[in-house]
Amino acid sequence: MAFGQPRIEYKSNQQMRKMQEAGLVLSRALDAAVAAAKPGVSTRELDAVFAAVLNDAGAKSNFLGYHGFPATICTSVNEEVVHGIPGDRVLQDGDIISIDGGAIVDGWHSDSARTVIVGTADPEDQRLSDVTEEAMWRGIAALAKGKFVGDIGNAIDDFVSSVPGQPLGILEDYVGHGIGSEMHMAPDVLNYRTSHRGPKIRPGLCLAIEPMLVRGDIETATLDDDWTVVTTDGQRSCQWEHSVAVHEKGIWVLSAPDGGASRLAQFGVTPVPIPA
């Protein structure tokens, strides 16, 4: 602890490259789970698909056993916001599902989430997912250009608030986080604007940036399984997440095969590979 705040772990380039290894395995595992998310498939089957990729790569899950969590991914369907437990639930045409997973390679962590609309998409669900994903990338761009971690939440909030159409809610109870030798570390990464600037952005900082948006009210409740978080009004929700590293030459999205280049170009950000 420093001045009452949790100490931030700053990584070396070598450590960040290990996190990138974990991120690339994770990306492949999410690719497989996303491809398998079809009508008639259970969330337990998605978990098995994801776990098989990790096992084949010799990586470990950082979700399985975390505070007793019983699976390798979180599968949050429709009104489920985060931390949904894979099980017998069978995906239906039109469902929206957020698949959140993590991987460990040689003790270094990565964390990423994607949202999939199963079968035929409701246009408002597609809008929800598109805005959430775009908000994530705007947050990542703010990490590249900003001075303080709070700039990320400012960028996300400003974008979501500016989108035309029915307003979308930004969850405030669940936020992004630091990542490295553990999955959840300091600092918190807020997805909304506050007066708190947060810590200064500097090389060695690695963050999981994960906006969570809802079509209705931001109030949530936790189910009796002590994990699954749902919207209290039953409206649908969405999550997108990437792990990102800051180094002396720039940033690199650890859980994206191209480091985020294809999506960050529109913001004038060119990711730079982590130096040897």
Side-chain angles (χ1 to χ4, degrees), residues 12 30 39 44 98 106 122 138 163 213 273 275-276:
S12 68
L30 284 172
R44 180 179 284 111
S98 296
D106 294 336
D122 179 314
R138 287 177 181 261
V163 173
L213 271 57

Side-chain angles (χ1 to χ4, degrees), residues 80 221-230:
E80 297 171 351
T222 303
L223 299 184
D224 290 342
D225 63 16
D226 290 330
W227 281 105
T228 308
V229 177
V230 299

